[in-house]
Amino acid sequence: MQITRRVLLLAAVLGLLLAGAACSPEEETAFRSVNALRDQHGLRWLDWDEPAHAKAVAWSQHMADEGRLSHSVLSEGLPKGWRVLGENVAYAGSVEQAMATLEASSPHRANLLKPEFLRVGIGIVERDGRYWVTQVFIG
């Protein structure tokens, strides 16, 4: 069963790449990390969402420009049709550190593991050795 899930996760990542999603290697790492955590908890993997990705990149850029963490207005910049939205933001010296920080925080972990979320867009901006991460969840 574990091997089957890993094969499916690899297929999902390959599908993302073949679909022409414009994600960076860092964003792909974060995407895999989110779905690996969900897999460990028996949850459905999240699909990649391009409008959410565009919003997440823009917000990470905004935070890097401001030099501080903040949250966006979630509904702005996303197409209609969603039922539930969520957002995680972080910064760290590496993507892996940012992901570990989000996973260790109860409210952020709740977003990562919320069964109602079906799609995610992740935007990562590197500035002066600091990675600014925004995850936009859609259900």
Side-chain angles (χ1 to χ4, degrees):
M1 180 109 171
Q2 179 94 8
I3 293 173
T4 302
R5 287 184 179 258
R6 286 185 180 163
V7 169
L8 290 173
L9 181 58
L10 178 60
V13 170
L14 288 173
L16 169 68
L17 294 174
L18 293 174
C23 72
S24 70
E26 293 83 8
E27 292 162 348
E28 182 183 342
T29 295
F31 178 66
R32 281 187 276 129
S33 177
V34 167
N35 278 327
L37 178 68
R38 290 176 67 87
D39 185 55
Q40 290 170 7
H41 292 272
L43 295 171
R44 176 195 182 282
W45 297 322
L46 299 176
D47 295 325
W48 187 259
D49 188 274
E50 272 302 310
H53 172 245
K55 177 183 178 60
V57 169
W59 196 253
S60 288
Q61 184 68 52
H62 169 79
M63 292 189 301
D65 290 346
E66 295 287 318
R68 65 182 179 87
L69 290 175
S70 61
H71 284 281
S72 71
V73 176
L74 270 174
S75 60
E76 288 182 4
L78 294 176
K80 303 281 186 230
W82 49 266
R83 290 178 289 119
V84 62
L85 297 172
E87 180 180 68
N88 286 344
V89 296
Y91 70 85
S94 71
V95 173
E96 293 78 13
Q97 287 174 339
M99 294 304 296
T101 299
L102 292 170
E103 289 178 17
S105 161
S106 293
H108 296 101
R109 187 177 184 86
N111 275 342
L112 290 162
L113 296 176
K114 189 168 189 163
E116 292 85 0
F117 290 141
L118 304 174
R119 302 185 314 274
V120 67
I122 301 170
I124 300 176
V125 171
E126 188 274 328
R127 176 87 51 84
D128 299 325
R130 188 178 279 181
Y131 290 85
W132 297 87
V133 178
T134 304
Q135 301 169 328
V136 176
F137 301 95
I138 302 174

